[in-house]
Amino acid sequence: MNTTKAQILDGKALAKKIQSDLQQKIATLEPNIGRPPGLAVLMVGDNPASAVYVRNKEKACSRVGIASVGKHFSAQVTQEELTAEIHRLNENDRVDGILVQLPLPDGLDSVALLHEIDPQKDADGLHPVNLGHLVRSETGLRSCTPAGVMKLLAEYNIALSGKKAVVVGRSILVGKPITLMLLEANATVTIAHSRTQDLTAVCRQADILVAAVGKPEMITPDMVKPGAVVIDVGINRVTDSDGKSRLVGDVAYDAVAEVASYITPVPGGIGPMTVAMLLSNTVLSYQEKMTI
């Protein structure tokens, strides 16, 4: 058992540092390119959580000098209208990154829309072409949340080579890409999921444990090897008995912090890193304009 509490992996502080670097980079590039980078965020309907995320992204854009080209559609918008808008943005020379804010209302196919985005403007790094680059360890735009996790681990000099990593969750958003990124860093990776037998035993083998399932406080101290690095990707809104709502991760933070050596908080861990990597991807696409 740890005698000291786990060190916090501060995603908020690192995200600020990345944003400040991006701000300087944009200030240097803009006179040559003749315009600021542009990020288009498409939001559909009135999901309150999505509205908060979009607002945060727009604020972050204005902080670093990215022009935010937000488009808000009613929940009644058709698949065809959204597809046509993506095609317009693909052709727009002032737009370097395109993002469809998920989840979409029922009846809309988010995967089909994702396929319509020009891979070079895929700010979320989720287009099959970009995921293919990741599988082949080629350069390309990377999925924002997993890329943010890797950046945070690197910032704290956490060794991955030869370590056992367990990823709980197999989504295309986080579970699968983070597995590939950890493999690329020479970790030995196990993916666990809802059908995994004896999940506790599997998790306890991990030197690095990544929780990305979307179940509040599912990872408890008995599932964590003493001294492990615990990365909590979950963001869940729960309501207390007194009716107050708060954000919690997939990890029972206070109890697990007694066992782990490093841990990410929720909020303030991976969330800000995801936004920072979204801005990074946009600036990366923008920079490409210099070489064309």
Side-chain angles (χ1 to χ4, degrees):
M1 206 60 156
N2 264 11
T3 48
T4 53
K5 232 177 148 70
Q7 186 181 339
I8 289 174
L9 297 170
D10 189 344
K12 206 171 176 179
L14 179 56
K16 270 193 180 141
K17 197 162 124 182
I18 290 168
Q19 288 183 21
S20 148
D21 291 348
L22 289 173
Q23 193 178 9
Q24 287 172 0
K25 190 178 266 189
I26 292 166
T28 312
L29 291 170
E30 198 175 330
N32 299 317
I33 295 178
R35 63 169 181 82
L39 174 65
V41 180
L42 304 185
M43 184 175 153
V44 181
D46 296 303
N47 179 321
S50 291
V52 171
Y53 293 144
V54 169
R55 237 188 344 268
N56 287 345
K57 285 165 187 170
E58 285 169 349
K59 277 185 197 154
C61 280
S62 69
R63 269 199 300 275
V64 302
I66 293 175
S68 182
V69 195
K71 298 242 176 201
H72 190 170
F73 297 88
S74 80
Q76 282 67 52
V77 70
T78 65
Q79 185 85 13
E80 292 68 32
E81 285 169 319
L82 288 172
T83 303
E85 181 58 38
I86 288 171
H87 290 171
R88 270 196 294 278
L89 293 167
N90 283 342
E91 296 300 315
N92 185 337
D93 288 341
R94 302 186 74 80
V95 172
D96 303 287
I98 302 169
L99 164 74
V100 177
Q101 182 64 44
L102 303 175
L104 291 175
D106 291 344
L108 292 170
D109 183 345
S110 57
V111 175
L113 289 174
L114 200 62
H115 287 195
E116 297 298 330
I117 295 173
D118 177 345
Q120 290 176 318
K121 294 190 177 189
D122 169 31
D124 242 349
L126 293 172
H127 191 283
V129 167
N130 289 320
L131 288 169
H133 286 314
L134 173 59
V135 170
R136 296 175 62 96
S137 294
E138 295 168 352
T139 55
L141 298 172
R142 296 285 189 249
S143 314
C144 297
T145 300
V149 170
M150 297 304 287
K151 203 88 167 160
L152 195 54
L153 290 168
E155 175 70 8
Y156 284 83
N157 296 312
I158 291 168
L160 298 174
S161 185
K163 301 288 184 183
K164 280 189 180 168
V166 173
V167 176
V168 188
R170 52 180 164 179
S171 74
I172 198 69
L173 284 173
V174 181
K176 286 174 183 167
I178 189 69
T179 297
L180 290 163
M181 290 178 196
L182 287 163
L183 270 176
E184 207 173 9
N186 297 318
T188 300
V189 193
T190 301
I191 303 186
H193 45 79
S194 57
R195 302 286 197 289
T196 299
Q197 293 184 357
D198 200 350
L199 181 62
T200 298
V202 171
C203 289
R204 272 187 73 86
Q205 294 175 357
D207 301 309
I208 291 107
L209 180 61
V210 180
V213 271
K215 287 191 180 163
E217 302 182 329
M218 177 190 151
I219 303 292
T220 49
D222 59 314
M223 301 170 81
V224 179
K225 174 181 176 178
V229 176
V230 179
I231 303 288
D232 190 349
V233 181
I235 297 182
N236 312 287
R237 190 170 287 283
V238 295
T239 307
D240 293 337
S241 49
D242 57 4
K244 278 206 180 93
S245 84
R246 61 193 174 97
L247 289 179
V248 300
D250 290 351
V251 174
Y253 180 85
D254 289 333
V256 170
E258 301 288 340
V259 184
S261 61
Y262 290 90
I263 192 166
T264 58
V266 175
I270 301 305
M273 290 303 299
T274 299
V275 176
M277 299 323 290
L278 173 71
L279 304 181
S280 276
N281 276 347
T282 304
V283 172
L284 208 60
S285 298
Y286 173 68
Q287 248 178 310
E288 293 293 301
K289 304 288 187 294
M290 296 286 291
T291 55
I292 291 168

